[in-house]
Amino acid sequence: MTSNGGRLLSGGLPPAKHSRRTRKEALIAQKEDKVEMTGEIVEALRNGMFRIKLDNGHETLGYTAGKMRRFRIRMNPGDRVRIELSAYDLDRGRIVYRLRPGDDRPE
């Protein structure tokens, strides 16, 4: 017999038990939402950092993501990139993808 009066949910499964851990993980996932934008590299700086002019006109500082370092993705001024910005700090972001010339993929 289940805790909801003997009824089973659709699919014949008893209701899931929610713990404090799953609620905490859900809050963390909400908190870490990223803003993804595209822009163009204006200037190459030291240690894999770049000055990026976003499509909306703002300038931000971007650093290469770990996978891009691992696979040695080269980036030069003039390249179009996709960057992840934190909702808390819009002045710094992580470059997650280098767009190919003529590649207009949706974000």
Side-chain angles (χ1 to χ4, degrees), residues 38-105:
T38 56
E40 184 176 328
I41 295 177
V42 176
E43 180 184 3
L45 303 171
R46 76 271 181 261
N47 295 335
M49 309 244 333
F50 300 91
R51 190 164 316 284
I52 300 169
K53 184 165 181 76
L54 300 176
D55 290 342
N56 62 6
H58 290 87
E59 278 202 5
T60 185
L61 198 63
Y63 59 91
T64 53
K67 284 216 173 188
M68 295 189 75
R69 283 180 197 242
R70 179 178 172 202
F71 293 110
R72 295 187 177 97
I73 305 296
R74 302 274 184 212
M75 289 175 285
N76 295 312
D79 288 346
R80 305 250 328 135
V81 292
R82 189 174 304 151
I83 185 167
E84 273 185 359
L85 300 168
S86 170
Y88 299 108
D89 186 11
L90 298 174
D91 293 333
R92 294 174 65 93
R94 182 172 61 174
I95 300 171
V96 294
Y97 190 79
R98 177 181 168 260
L99 296 166
R100 295 178 189 98
D103 189 9
D104 293 326
R105 292 188 184 189

Side-chain angles (χ1 to χ4, degrees), residues 3-68:
S3 62
N4 60 351
R7 291 177 289 146
L8 293 176
L9 297 177
S10 62
L13 298 174
K17 294 180 181 174
H18 296 288
S19 67
R20 182 179 301 165
R21 186 176 191 186
T22 57
R23 278 185 258 143
K24 185 177 181 182
E25 288 171 358
L27 285 174
I28 290 173
Q30 276 182 343
K31 191 188 301 184
E32 293 179 358
D33 286 339
K34 304 285 188 229
V35 179
E36 239 183 57
M37 303 190 82
T38 56
E40 184 176 328
I41 295 177
V42 176
E43 180 184 3
L45 303 171
R46 76 271 181 261
N47 295 335
M49 309 244 333
F50 300 91
R51 190 164 316 284
I52 300 169
K53 184 165 181 76
L54 300 176
D55 290 342
N56 62 6
H58 290 87
E59 278 202 5
T60 185
L61 198 63
Y63 59 91
T64 53
K67 284 216 173 188
M68 295 189 75

